[in-house]
Amino acid sequence: YQIECAFCGERGNWGLEHHAEKKKPNGRKVINFDTYKCGNCAGYAMVLWSATEGSSGGYGNHGLHAYKVIPWPLHFSPSENWPEAIRRHWKQAHDNLKSNNYDAAVVMARSALQAAMRDKGATGRDLYSEIEDLATKGIITTVIKDWSHEVRKLATPSAHPQPDDDEVNSEDARDIVKFLDSLLENIYDIPADIEKYRKRRSVDSSSEEVIHD
């Protein structure tokens, strides 16, 4: 299992430092407590895991029942439902946020937002007009429109800098990237989940009709 280090992002580069077990009193189930050291940054992680009852357990076979890593990396990957350009800008927004490059983070968040607006068919002379266009057409809700304008407004000074502009502060940058995550989930992921649900229900209904016949 390619566990990711919460401190440096390295995957699968671990050395086991300590192992302990706790056995279920009235069964064969064993909970394992492993402490691993990252080979890249020397950070530590505790992995709690258990094997399916009746298997020999261990990460190297298919008997793994479940596992939990502490600390867990505080990020997630871009969704497969998003167009490639949006995925790229989203990743750069998160990477810059993680590196404390707050101006760059909000500019990339703005780029991801504008790519999403245009992917949904927005027209207009600027991002403001594109957001308003989709709201007028009913493609995005009032809440999403308001979130979009917040991303746009905060990122505008960094995207069109002036000599006396202030740096974006960390709290605003984190909020804007968080708003972006929610926007993309609402615009792409929720509709995709609904479509998957409808297709599944359609298949289930067809199967029920065949059985009834």
Side-chain angles (χ1 to χ4, degrees), residues 14 18 23 94-95 117 130 134 144 160 168 171 202-203:
W14 298 97
H18 180 72
K23 293 185 178 180
H94 276 266
D95 287 348
M117 296 295 107
E130 291 169 348
L134 291 190
I144 292 178
H160 306 285
V168 175
E171 187 174 6
S202 177
V203 171

Side-chain angles (χ1 to χ4, degrees), residues 43-61:
Y44 288 88
M46 175 177 282
V47 182
L48 289 70
W49 61 277
S50 62
T52 303
E53 290 198 46
S55 73
S56 58
Y59 287 127
N61 61 38

Side-chain angles (χ1 to χ4, degrees), residues 199-213:
K199 286 181 179 179
R200 180 179 63 78
R201 290 296 300 154
S202 177
V203 171
D204 291 345
S205 297
S206 298
S207 300
E208 290 173 3
E209 290 176 4
V210 171
I211 293 172
H212 289 156
D213 288 344

